[in-house]
Amino acid sequence: MKRDLVSFQDLSAAEIGDILALAAAMKQSPLSYRPMEGMTAAMIFEKPSLRTHVSFEVGISQMGGHAVYLNQQQIGLSTRESVEDVAEVLSRYNDLIIARTMRHDTIERLASAASVPVINALSDLLHPCQLLADALTLRERGLLEATPKVVFVGDGNNMVNSWIELAEKVSMHFVVACPKGYEPDAAILARAVATGVSRIEVSHDPM
């Protein structure tokens, strides 16, 4: 059965820990891990990027795979080609689909229609891969296991929503200081608070 990474709802706390442990090992010896030998990954970038594009393409290459970059002009996602048709066609040619999209429901539709795994490289709602990188940094400094206090100052955007999703699985004290009217997604916040795994605060005072 294929596994997607659309949000942290797709992973358990133990699986998040396993991913971070593997990432730490790969960072120490990147050329020792070649799980994508002979594989291809389609990279759909509806929204332009520098760091996400380069890091994914370099990572795929280091793991022995080949990346196929597709921007919106090339693919015509939701314009020339439906999301479902794109997912079906790319699944026939590739072993993995990575997508950076304007709308979160585009990622969800890709994952639903694709027969290969789909990774969310950013949507307007969530940015789980960036959060895994941030969590790895905390882990490397010995902070992740000690219920860290993390404060985010700014809009309640896709980064904040992913922090809250992570706080639903990994114990922390997470505070977002955002302007009024720019709060994080209400459903994501309510679900995370209900679990009681972490202390989560929304403030309008950065001090």
Side-chain angles (χ1 to χ4, degrees), residues 9-196:
Q9 294 303 301
D10 299 324
L11 300 171
S12 67
E15 287 172 328
I16 291 171
D18 290 343
I19 288 171
L20 295 176
L22 178 59
M26 293 179 73
K27 186 175 179 180
Q28 291 299 313
S29 183
L31 298 183
S32 298
Y33 294 84
R34 307 280 287 180
M36 292 193 68
E37 199 76 55
M39 297 183 180
T40 59
M43 299 185 4
I44 301 171
F45 276 67
E46 187 179 20
K47 187 174 183 179
S49 165
L50 171 62
R51 282 164 289 275
T52 304
H53 177 185
V54 173
S55 60
F56 265 106
E57 193 156 332
V58 170
I60 290 164
S61 176
Q62 288 182 339
M63 288 188 288
H66 177 72
V68 180
Y69 177 78
L70 299 163
N71 62 33
Q72 176 61 7
Q73 288 70 35
Q74 292 169 312
I75 200 169
L77 187 67
S78 296
T79 55
R80 191 178 72 247
E81 302 270 359
S82 73
V83 173
E84 288 72 20
D85 285 347
V86 169
E88 183 177 345
V89 169
L90 292 182
S91 294
R92 294 179 183 181
Y93 301 143
N94 299 275
D95 303 283
L96 174 68
I97 297 172
I98 298 157
R100 181 181 176 95
T101 63
M102 295 295 198
R103 294 170 52 87
H104 187 71
D105 75 308
T106 302
I107 295 275
E108 292 179 325
R109 289 168 63 192
L110 281 168
S112 178
S115 58
V116 298
V118 173
I119 294 177
N120 180 359
L122 177 141
S123 70
D124 59 345
L125 184 67
L126 297 169
H127 200 356
C129 290
Q130 179 62 59
L131 256 292
L132 287 172
D134 291 349
L136 180 61
T137 300
L138 290 176
R139 183 185 186 277
E140 289 175 331
R141 284 154 178 75
L143 298 173
L144 193 61
E145 294 76 20
T147 313
K149 181 176 183 180
V150 178
V151 179
F152 189 104
V153 180
D155 296 351
N157 57 16
N158 50 8
M159 286 292 296
V160 171
N161 291 332
S162 282
W163 269 112
I164 293 171
E165 277 206 336
L166 185 65
E168 184 181 336
K169 305 294 178 75
V170 178
S171 179
M172 67 179 71
H173 179 189
F174 180 71
V175 183
V176 53
C178 59
K180 289 183 179 180
Y182 292 87
E183 291 82 7
D185 183 85
I188 291 174
L189 178 63
R191 187 178 63 226
V193 170
T195 66

